[in-house]
């Protein structure tokens, strides 16, 4: 049903695995982990410009707030007119709320796609969504773009002695899908638990970086705080969202970490690493753009201001 997601994800993963196979053992866990990491970087690089536009759009939305408040006050009894004027203002300011959601919306199917592709290397389980293949069938059945040799390579590849498609809660019967690897659930935990902790902590601090910047901008007056008759509600919503970003998401990762394949955990680690450096770069770039815009406004004022000592010209004609 979601083959339009699974095939491209598997194709990018296949490409990077083949690329690293030129310099590394194609059957090693390192080559597969690097393929997963660079799959992540590829997706993030493709989403860089939309992410930049999203943050710029967010800044414009903040600049729009006073005018938005005027529209809400003026048309509070006419929802249709309020929506019409809001859309008109968004068009004037070059703001597209839907486009701002694109990076997040794209990453969700990427996560689902990679989860499914990695899971589909081991199809011996009997649970929901599993095919219940025999070990021999699984070993000799392609996985989307991956041929039989690639499937066997992935199943035999390990990182710290653990297969990349293993996960903490993996049913015991699925261990047999790795006939050439000797490992236990404890071995999986030794690899997975540190990765889950790293992901949870990194998610928290990436969120904190964004929230702290927002608070600093409000404190410095660069960003307007919620105002008007809906200010209290907006502040409450903002506080809830911030708490979710800071605590709910990391805790969700902690409590669901037993479900994620080792390979998927490396995706999440690399995603957080990229996000950390990307945020720093984008925030610095946006601050520089904002400073340049402010300097341009000051320069314009200086050029339009009357020269020192010049008399004010009265353009009214004497009668």
């Amino acid at each position: 049903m979601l083959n339009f997601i699974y095939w491209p994800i598997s194709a990018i993963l296949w490409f990077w695995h083949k690329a690293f196979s030129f310099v590394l053992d194609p059957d090693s866990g390192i080559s597969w982990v690097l393929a997963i990491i660079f799959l992540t970087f590829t997706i993030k690089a493709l989403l860089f410009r939309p992410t930049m536009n999203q943050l710029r759009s967010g800044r414009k939305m903040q600049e729009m707030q006073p005018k938005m408040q005027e529209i809400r006050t003026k048309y509070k009894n006419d929802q249709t007119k309020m929506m019409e004027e809001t859309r008109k203002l968004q068009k004037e300011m070059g703001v597209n709320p839907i486009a701002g959601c694109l990076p997040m919306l794209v990453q969700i199917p990427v996560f689902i796609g990679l989860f499914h592709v990695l899971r589909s290397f081991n199809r011996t389980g009997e649970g929901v969504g599993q095919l219940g293949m025999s070990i021999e069938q699984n070993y000799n059945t392609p996985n989307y773009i991956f041929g039989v040799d690639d499937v066997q390579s992935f199943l035999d590849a390990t990182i710290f002695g653990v297969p990349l498609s293993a996960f903490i809660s993996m049913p015991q019967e699925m261990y047999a899908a790795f006939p050439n690897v000797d490992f236990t659930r404890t071995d999986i935990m030794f690899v997975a638990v540190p990765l889950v902790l790293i992901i949870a902590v990194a998610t928290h601090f990436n969120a904190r970086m964004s929230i702290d910047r927002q608070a600093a901008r409000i404190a410095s007056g660069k960003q307007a705080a919620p105002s008007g008759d809906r200010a209290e509600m907006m502040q409450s919503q903002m506080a809830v969202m911030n708490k979710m970003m800071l605590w709910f998401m990391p805790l969700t990762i902690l409590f669901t970490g037993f479900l994620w394949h080792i390979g998927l955990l490396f995706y999440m680690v690399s995603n957080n690493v990229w996000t950390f450096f990307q945020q720093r770069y984008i925030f610095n770039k946006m601050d520089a753009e904002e400073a340049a815009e402010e300097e341009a406004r000051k320069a314009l004022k200086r050029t339009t201001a009357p020269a020192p000592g010049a008399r004010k010209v009265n353009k009214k004609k004497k009668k």
Side-chain angles (χ1 to χ4, degrees):
M1 184 174 67
L2 296 177
N3 285 340
F4 69 96
I5 295 174
Y6 303 148
W7 278 94
I9 294 299
S10 65
I12 298 173
L13 184 61
W14 177 89
F15 169 81
W16 282 114
H17 178 249
K18 294 303 180 186
F20 285 111
S21 294
F22 284 111
V23 293
L24 297 170
D25 179 2
D27 298 329
S28 70
I30 293 296
S31 63
W32 281 104
V33 167
L34 286 173
I36 292 170
I37 290 172
F38 275 78
L39 160 70
T40 310
F41 291 169
T42 300
I43 300 299
K44 296 292 283 187
L46 292 173
L47 290 175
F48 176 79
R49 188 171 292 278
T51 300
M52 192 78 186
N53 292 338
Q54 174 194 17
L55 293 173
R56 284 174 175 151
S57 179
R59 190 177 70 183
K60 289 181 180 179
M61 288 287 286
Q62 291 296 328
E63 294 172 359
M64 284 169 48
Q65 287 309 306
K67 293 182 179 180
M68 288 288 292
Q69 184 57 41
E70 291 177 10
I71 291 173
R72 293 190 195 103
T73 303
K74 187 175 181 179
Y75 301 106
K76 60 182 178 181
N77 297 322
D78 188 345
Q79 292 294 320
T80 303
K81 186 65 175 176
M82 184 189 297
M83 293 299 296
E84 182 183 332
E85 291 297 318
T86 299
R87 285 193 293 268
K88 187 185 297 183
L89 178 61
Q90 289 172 345
K91 187 175 181 180
E92 290 174 2
M93 297 290 291
V95 173
N96 187 341
I98 297 176
C101 300
L102 179 63
M104 180 61 69
L105 293 176
V106 170
Q107 289 186 71
I108 293 172
V110 169
F111 181 86
I112 294 172
L114 184 59
F115 174 78
H116 179 78
V117 170
L118 294 180
R119 187 187 192 204
S120 296
F121 278 105
N122 183 0
R123 294 147 289 187
T124 58
E126 299 289 345
V128 177
Q130 294 289 341
L131 299 179
M133 290 184 178
S134 67
I135 297 172
E136 185 177 355
Q137 283 177 319
N138 185 60
Y139 226 60
N140 293 283
T141 302
N143 179 25
Y144 294 98
I145 201 171
F146 294 103
V148 171
D149 291 341
D150 295 321
V151 170
Q152 294 174 0
S153 171
F154 187 87
L155 290 172
D156 292 340
T158 62
I159 192 78
F160 303 115
V162 175
L164 295 176
S165 58
F167 53 101
I168 294 174
S169 60
M170 186 168 67
Q172 195 64 41
E173 64 269 16
M174 293 182 70
Y175 282 66
F178 310 97
N180 299 322
V181 185
D182 183 20
F183 67 102
T184 65
R185 196 177 305 278
T186 302
D187 295 327
I188 301 175
M189 292 177 67
F190 273 124
V191 178
V193 170
L195 290 174
V196 170
L197 291 175
I198 290 170
I199 295 163
V201 171
T203 301
H204 173 84
F205 280 104
N206 280 337
R208 183 166 292 282
M209 185 193 303
S210 179
I211 291 168
D212 287 350
R213 181 177 186 273
Q214 183 185 52
R217 286 177 59 79
I218 291 174
S220 65
K222 292 182 178 179
Q223 179 175 321
S227 59
D229 54 358
R230 300 177 61 189
E232 187 175 344
M233 182 186 70
M234 292 173 68
Q235 287 175 342
S236 176
Q237 290 176 344
M238 187 185 298
V240 170
M241 289 297 296
N242 289 346
K243 285 181 180 178
M244 287 185 66
M245 291 170 62
L246 282 172
W247 303 110
F248 179 75
M249 293 303 296
L251 288 173
T252 299
I253 291 167
L254 282 177
F255 288 112
T256 60
F258 65 93
L259 297 171
W260 310 126
H261 302 80
I262 299 297
L264 194 65
L265 293 176
F266 277 104
Y267 162 81
M268 296 166 76
V269 168
S270 54
N271 184 66
N272 272 284
V273 170
W274 179 286
T275 299
F276 174 80
F277 288 105
Q278 178 177 272
Q279 281 192 158
R280 291 181 66 88
Y281 173 80
I282 289 179
F283 290 162
N284 289 336
K285 185 175 178 62
M286 289 181 64
D287 288 343
E289 289 177 357
E290 194 172 37
E293 290 172 4
E294 181 63 26
E295 185 59 35
R297 283 193 290 267
K298 290 179 180 178
L300 182 62
K301 285 183 179 180
R302 287 194 295 268
T303 56
T304 56
R311 292 182 179 180
K312 185 177 180 181
V313 178
N314 188 354
K315 295 183 179 180
K316 292 183 179 180
K317 293 181 179 180
K318 293 182 180 180
K319 293 183 179 180

